[in-house]
Amino acid sequence: EKTLIDFKQFGMAKLWYIPVSLNKESFLASLVSEIGKNLPETDFKSLSDKSGITLGEQINSMYLNFNNVSKLTIDQLSDAYADIGKKLGGIFRSRLLQDRISVEIMQYPFEQTSKFIIKILSAVFAKMAALNMGYGRSVVSESAEKATIIDVYLKREETGNA
């Protein structure tokens, strides 16, 4: 964005634009990234989980209202994950697999992408899954092409002795 300066205050009659690339989104993304980088690991995990859970509840409510349902179906949930990417300015490709929804971040939604933002997104996706499917656990990984993948597991793994 360009910032408008009124040079009349300096005795000049013309208006000039300063080519500074600053807007609310880039400022907030940089701020969140810096906070995430400087937090101790235990605080990082706690803050990102709490933030993601709260955002997940709020965002889930929006998609419930849009679809006029009390719970999203697995297809609606998968579509919501992809739509969240679009709304944030990125490209998220979601795929339904046997036990999970896999979300590949094809284009990051922010100029600077931090592990803090990815952790919050994974918590958002897990919370939405839990609210609609009864269970949600997210695992962040990297593909061979270095793309970030958030796998959202929809069923608790059985860990009992037979």
Side-chain angles (χ1 to χ4, degrees), residues 33-79:
S33 180
E34 285 302 312
I35 290 171
K37 280 188 222 173
N38 294 302
L39 280 175
E41 192 65 32
T42 54
D43 294 341
F44 171 86
K45 180 166 176 26
S46 175
L47 181 60
S48 59
D49 285 346
K50 286 178 186 175
S51 300
I53 288 168
T54 301
L55 285 169
E57 290 169 345
Q58 294 171 354
I59 293 169
N60 189 67
S61 179
M62 293 178 206
Y63 284 95
L64 291 175
N65 289 335
F66 171 76
N67 288 293
N68 196 26
V69 295
S70 60
K71 289 196 185 284
L72 298 174
T73 66
I74 194 167
D75 289 323
Q76 289 170 329
L77 187 59
S78 180
D79 291 344

Side-chain angles (χ1 to χ4, degrees), residues 1 72 75 87 110 127 143 157:
E1 300 248 341
L72 298 174
D75 289 323
K87 298 252 187 295
F110 304 102
K127 183 60 179 180
S143 72
E157 293 179 13

Side-chain angles (χ1 to χ4, degrees), residues 120-157:
I120 291 172
L121 277 173
S122 71
V124 166
F125 292 168
K127 183 60 179 180
M128 290 177 69
L131 291 169
N132 293 289
M133 303 290 134
Y135 179 79
R137 178 177 59 89
S138 61
V139 176
V140 178
S141 62
E142 208 173 74
S143 72
E145 297 80 31
K146 301 291 184 197
T148 300
I149 297 173
I150 302 172
D151 285 318
V152 183
Y153 291 86
L154 306 172
K155 294 183 179 168
R156 188 178 308 271
E157 293 179 13

